[in-house]
Amino acid sequence: MKRRDFVRNTALGAIGASLLHPFAILARPDITHLKSEDLTLLPKIKDNYAQHFMAIGDWGRNGEYDQAEVAKQMGLWGAEHPLDFVISAGDNFYPKGVVSEFDPLWHYSFENIYTAHSLQCDWYPVLGNHDYHSDVDAQLRYGKLSRRWDMPDRYYSKEINLIKGQDKEDGPVKEEKKEKAKAKALLVFMDTDPFLHESKADYVTKELAWLNDTLKNASADTVWKIVIGHHPYYTVGPRITNYDTLTMRKALADIFELNKVDIYLSGHEHSLQHLVPGGHTHQFISGAGSELTAVTAGISYSRFQASENGFMYFSLDSKRLNVKAVNVEGKVLYETELTK
């Protein structure tokens, strides 16, 4: 074959191949079809809950007092278990908050501590008393700089979907799930430090009216009502009869009962606690992100208390709300489940 004939035949063959129908090419047995999810490090342990989140409070100490160790365990837990977001229960930066959205503490106490891939999800914070020593609104402004720090206001609310069947893994909602296809949880994030200062009475009155209206006007699809604030209204830590605790109880107890709040989640006490003081609301305290304080055993309304570094892990759907207290070594110290 002459060289020019070879060149001509090769060119014609290439042109012919390019004119093949694209579906014929895709039908070849050696072609693979991969989605991003097929190549991503997904949690090894799966369950059939719709949403999962961690709660951590009282943490911002430049990695000291076991903050870095707790952060590492949070990352390991999140790599093994599903995680949709993290709630920060306040006292995000010790000793006196941050002076601006550019304060170095953002790096030394947050960005450079919670570095695990699993923790690069949304963080929903509330303010604590230590955060109030500087520019509290800097923590709102930081949300414009950070992909994960999501704090739109000093107090705010969010709704989350609770139907597993709507996730991409499960496809369309099955027939038996249609009646609860819009089940949701209402998360209400409070600003509690002003409650302790008489000079801020007008602010507190406005916030309490907002809290009551938000809970009262919750969507008909709401099956769980969860309120988050820094200061507990019950505790078995050092503040059992402290002014802080009694003030919050006076302000919140009736509103919680009237609106059937399922969970009040807080920090302030540097420990892990589950308390059932009576009525509808369960108090969970997850304030063991760094420095610890003591707890008292044997109090009638306490179901669990531990002065150990760690965090809480919540899993929920339209019927169940599971809570685990996990210590710095990854051991589950306590587990309970609420049902509807």
Side-chain angles (χ1 to χ4, degrees), residues 66-76 113-116 119 289:
D66 286 322
Q67 182 198 358
E69 288 76 10
V70 173
K72 180 178 180 181
Q73 187 55 239
M74 289 171 65
L76 293 172
I113 301 297
Y114 303 98
T115 57
L119 301 181

Side-chain angles (χ1 to χ4, degrees), residues 180-339:
K180 287 188 173 295
K182 296 181 180 179
K184 297 175 181 177
L186 174 64
L187 307 180
V188 183
F189 298 83
M190 294 187 63
D191 179 18
T192 57
D193 190 68
F195 284 69
L196 308 179
H197 305 281
E198 293 183 6
S199 61
K200 298 180 179 179
D202 291 343
Y203 179 96
V204 171
T205 298
K206 181 180 177 181
E207 184 179 354
L208 283 175
W210 168 85
L211 172 65
N212 188 62
D213 288 345
T214 301
L215 294 169
K216 180 181 178 181
N217 298 320
S219 164
D221 303 317
T222 300
V223 294
W224 297 105
K225 294 179 180 179
I226 302 173
V227 178
I228 302 99
H230 179 63
H231 296 80
Y233 82 138
Y234 279 91
T235 178
V236 295
R239 298 180 175 93
I240 295 175
T241 56
N242 183 261
Y243 172 78
D244 298 10
T245 307
L246 299 179
T247 298
M248 297 311 300
R249 189 181 308 169
K250 181 179 179 181
L252 299 179
D254 289 343
I255 293 177
F256 286 176
E257 192 62 26
L258 177 65
N259 293 286
K260 301 301 179 186
V261 171
D262 298 289
I263 286 178
Y264 181 52
L265 171 61
S266 76
H268 200 43
E269 297 282 56
H270 299 181
S271 55
L272 302 168
Q273 302 180 36
H274 175 206
L275 313 173
V276 186
H280 192 84
T281 306
H282 290 248
Q283 164 88 71
F284 288 93
I285 297 176
S286 184
S290 56
E291 180 193 46
L292 295 175
T293 52
V295 292
T296 300
I299 295 180
S300 60
Y301 53 78
S302 177
R303 297 293 179 269
F304 164 75
Q305 68 282 322
S307 181
E308 291 193 38
N309 287 110
F311 56 93
M312 286 188 171
Y313 179 70
F314 293 74
S315 307
L316 60 161
D317 59 23
S318 61
K319 289 289 188 180
R320 304 164 299 162
L321 197 158
N322 182 278
V323 187
K324 296 179 177 66
V326 184
N327 75 2
V328 67
E329 297 174 351
K331 178 183 178 182
V332 177
L333 301 176
Y334 174 75
E335 180 175 4
T336 190
E337 185 162 283
L338 312 183
T339 58

Side-chain angles (χ1 to χ4, degrees), residues 85-148:
F85 56 93
V86 177
I87 287 177
S88 174
D91 277 0
N92 308 315
F93 298 97
Y94 289 94
K96 296 182 178 181
V98 289
V99 297
S100 77
E101 61 269 44
F102 306 106
D103 193 309
L105 285 179
W106 287 108
H107 173 75
Y108 292 114
S109 282
F110 179 60
E111 300 289 2
N112 201 38
I113 301 297
Y114 303 98
T115 57
H117 173 76
S118 63
L119 301 181
Q120 305 309 305
C121 54
D122 292 333
W123 284 56
Y124 302 138
V126 297
L127 297 165
N129 50 294
H130 283 269
D131 299 310
Y132 256 90
H133 288 289
S134 293
D135 183 358
V136 293
D137 290 331
Q139 297 196 33
L140 280 59
R141 297 194 300 272
Y142 190 69
K144 298 184 182 298
L145 304 178
S146 170
R147 216 294 301 146
R148 54 179 170 163

Side-chain angles (χ1 to χ4, degrees), residues 151-205:
M151 189 178 189
D153 213 330
R154 294 189 184 188
Y155 52 89
Y156 57 100
S157 65
K158 292 182 178 291
E159 282 187 337
I160 58 174
N161 177 57
L162 295 180
I163 298 301
K164 180 74 172 177
Q166 291 176 337
D167 291 351
K168 59 181 179 296
E169 293 180 0
D170 298 332
V173 178
K174 295 181 180 179
E175 188 67 32
E176 62 268 23
K177 291 184 177 180
K178 283 186 177 179
E179 64 179 16
K180 287 188 173 295
K182 296 181 180 179
K184 297 175 181 177
L186 174 64
L187 307 180
V188 183
F189 298 83
M190 294 187 63
D191 179 18
T192 57
D193 190 68
F195 284 69
L196 308 179
H197 305 281
E198 293 183 6
S199 61
K200 298 180 179 179
D202 291 343
Y203 179 96
V204 171
T205 298

Side-chain angles (χ1 to χ4, degrees), residues 49-68:
Y49 291 95
Q51 294 278 350
H52 308 78
F53 66 90
M54 291 181 185
I56 185 79
D58 304 83
W59 44 263
R61 295 181 183 272
N62 289 19
E64 297 182 340
Y65 297 92
D66 286 322
Q67 182 198 358

